[in-house]
Amino acid sequence: MRAWLTCGALVALAGCHDSLDDMDGIFSRGPRRVFCAANLDTVAGSDLASIHAGLARARTRGEVIHLYAHNPGGTVPLDKLEAVLDDIDGFELPYVTYAELAAGPPTGAAVALSFDDTSVGAWYAARPLFAQHHVRATFFVSRFFAISADGRAELHQLAADGHDIEAHTINHLRAPDVVADRGLVAWRDHEALPSIDVLADDGFARPIAFAYPFGARTDETDRALLDHVAVLRSVSFSFSAPVSDPCPY
Ligand SMILES: [Zn+2]
């Protein structure tokens, strides 16, 4: 059984405590188009020892480890995030963005760190922390219409700092639910592709990566998007409503 399935089965009862080094789906090596990330947020229950074991695996095997969170200082405490960044520094792991992964796999071990949704103020406030640790992260932005002009300016500053701004749907809905209700084309044309266009229209580099809200994906939604973006990111499991197959490859 894949580690994420074990994890998903346990989470409803006791939270997820699989060590990250056992979660094969969050590691990549070689060309790939669908990636899967482990959650650093408190709710995921991955402690620093587990994250350390994951980083050690990436270093030892020459893999990319995929990690994500939402709101620094909110969903993930700042001291935990800082401890993870210290640990990454200790392993001398370089960062890779999803735009870079779209161009091809790195030559050795790396960390793909992403932050999802709309917490632009918290991301911006973490700039000194990011700079101190030479972090280059990917921000998967949803509900761009709800981000203020000031927030959009902060997002542009993050892009200017070397971070990667990518798409995460318009309304942050579960893709399979929208497909069931309104059809695949409606989901693609009203939820997915416009979240790419709004960023490009606002002056960001045209997104070439897309992250699924809740990791809720299907082979059908993958196919619908991979003509439009180079890479997709899912998550290793979803807490509020587990999805059946978040890490397919
Ligand atoms: Zn999200």
Side-chain angles (χ1 to χ4, degrees):
M1 178 179 283
R2 294 181 201 176
W4 62 261
L5 276 177
T6 307
C7 202
L10 288 173
V11 68
L13 296 173
C16 176
H17 299 291
D18 273 1
S19 186
L20 260 57
D21 58 318
D22 291 330
M23 297 167 66
D24 291 338
I26 67 164
F27 297 90
S28 65
R29 188 175 177 177
R32 200 159 123 178
R33 298 194 73 185
V34 183
F35 299 101
C36 203
N39 192 340
L40 299 177
D41 292 331
T42 303
V43 67
S46 292
D47 62 17
L48 292 173
S50 165
I51 296 163
H52 181 83
L55 296 172
R57 169 176 163 167
R59 174 84 277 168
T60 301
R61 301 192 189 183
E63 295 172 328
V64 178
I65 182 171
H66 297 256
L67 304 172
Y68 83 109
H70 292 88
N71 180 358
T75 59
V76 58
L78 283 172
D79 59 351
K80 180 181 181 182
L81 180 59
E82 186 163 14
V84 172
L85 300 182
D86 280 337
D87 211 7
I88 292 169
D89 291 345
F91 281 110
E92 298 184 344
L93 287 165
Y95 290 89
V96 62
T97 67
Y98 283 85
E100 290 166 347
L101 288 169
T107 53
V111 176
L113 175 64
S114 48
F115 295 88
D116 289 9
D117 298 356
T118 58
S119 299
V120 179
W123 303 339
Y124 190 82
R127 284 178 73 221
L129 184 63
F130 292 152
Q132 183 186 343
H133 293 273
H134 307 289
V135 172
R136 288 182 312 108
T138 303
F139 297 95
F140 286 104
V141 179
S142 59
R143 304 183 78 249
F144 187 70
F145 63 86
I147 296 172
S148 68
D150 286 350
R152 293 179 184 193
E154 291 174 347
L155 208 49
H156 278 285
Q157 182 60 54
L158 287 163
D161 290 346
H163 301 293
D164 181 17
I165 313 300
E166 301 287 352
H168 191 46
T169 76
I170 294 292
N171 290 299
H172 205 273
L173 304 174
R174 295 168 61 85
D177 294 351
V178 178
V179 171
D181 290 346
R182 291 152 53 191
L184 180 66
V185 170
W187 171 76
R188 183 194 67 189
D189 291 352
H190 297 289
E191 284 295 324
L193 298 185
S195 70
I196 295 168
D197 293 337
V198 291
L199 291 170
D201 291 347
D202 204 68
F204 294 96
R206 186 163 186 83
I208 54 173
F210 173 92
Y212 285 104
F214 314 103
R217 55 154 297 284
T218 65
D219 291 342
E220 179 184 50
T221 58
D222 286 358
R223 283 194 298 272
L225 284 187
L226 285 173
D227 287 339
H228 302 274
V229 294
V231 293
L232 303 171
R233 202 219 67 203
S234 183
V235 298
S236 55
F237 50 82
S238 191
F239 304 96
S240 56
V243 292
S244 59
D245 192 15
C247 296
Y249 309 115

